[in-house]
Structures are given as structure tokens and as C-alpha cells.
Amino acid sequence: QVELVDSGGGPVEAGGSLRLSCQIVSFIPSKNWVTWWRQVPGKEAEGIAGIYVASGNTQYSDSVKGRFTISRDEPRNMVYLQMDNIQPEDSGRYYCALSMTRKNAFHLFIRANFDHWGQGTQVIVVS
């Protein structure tokens, strides 16, 4: 059974950095998109970063472009989200998600595109 395990969240000062990790269990992604999402209470989850594992092609939302970097480590079946220059509005619960069928980046950040989700990891920005 495919499982995604998110980790790496915690408290971080505004302006600081954090790296989130997503371990993909029981599946070796290749021609798959893996994405990171952020959810805050009372709002829909927002897709913020995605990577196509086979090519390394990436996509970002405007809210994190230039500050966050998504990457993958294929031998370890890991996907990372490097968060730099973190701002108070980056607080939230972060989830990674894997699509088994999506091949292109068009309208990537739609929840229905993704079949497997991690349990989430909380990021709390303190100032």
C-alpha cells in the first residue's frame, strides 16, 4: 500500500528556514508528480510546489516562488521542500501528495489530481 510520510515541521522564526521531507513508501515514483500543499484553518488547501520526478521539472505557486524549492532524491524515494525567508503567512499544515496518473503540469494544483496524501506536518512561524 502506497504511503506518504511527511516530516520536518515545527516552530521557525520569521525570516528563517526549514526543510520538509516526504518519504514515499511502497512505491517508486518516476513518471509522477509529487506536490506540496499548505492548509490553514478555515481555508482550502493550497498547492504550492510540485516536481515531476522523472525530469525534475518543477512548478510553484506565486505565494512561494523564489523562496521555496522542491527537490527529489530518487534513490531514497524522498521529496523535499526547502523553505527560505519564511514569512508569518507561511504558517499552516503542510502535506505532500502523489499523483499516479497526472503527466503534465497544466492545472496541476487541483486536489482531485492526487491519489495519495501524507498525514501533514505543522509549520508555526513565530516573530
Side-chain angles (χ1 to χ4, degrees), residues 62-76:
D62 289 341
S63 62
V64 306
K65 197 175 295 182
R67 300 187 299 120
F68 291 8
T69 304
I70 189 171
S71 63
R72 86 283 197 213
D73 184 337
E74 290 184 81
R76 295 186 178 184

Side-chain angles (χ1 to χ4, degrees), residues 19-84:
R19 189 177 81 158
L20 306 184
S21 299
C22 175
Q23 173 77 62
I24 301 168
V25 180
S26 299
F27 179 74
I28 300 174
S30 179
K31 296 181 180 178
N32 303 95
W33 282 95
V34 180
T35 53
W36 283 98
W37 298 68
R38 174 173 65 209
Q39 186 161 30
V40 299
K43 291 190 176 181
E44 292 282 329
E46 174 193 13
I48 58 172
I51 189 164
Y52 192 69
V53 175
S55 65
N57 184 31
T58 58
Q59 191 168 88
Y60 297 94
S61 68
D62 289 341
S63 62
V64 306
K65 197 175 295 182
R67 300 187 299 120
F68 291 8
T69 304
I70 189 171
S71 63
R72 86 283 197 213
D73 184 337
E74 290 184 81
R76 295 186 178 184
N77 253 19
M78 298 287 293
V79 173
Y80 302 102
L81 184 68
Q82 177 66 39
M83 307 167 63
D84 296 317

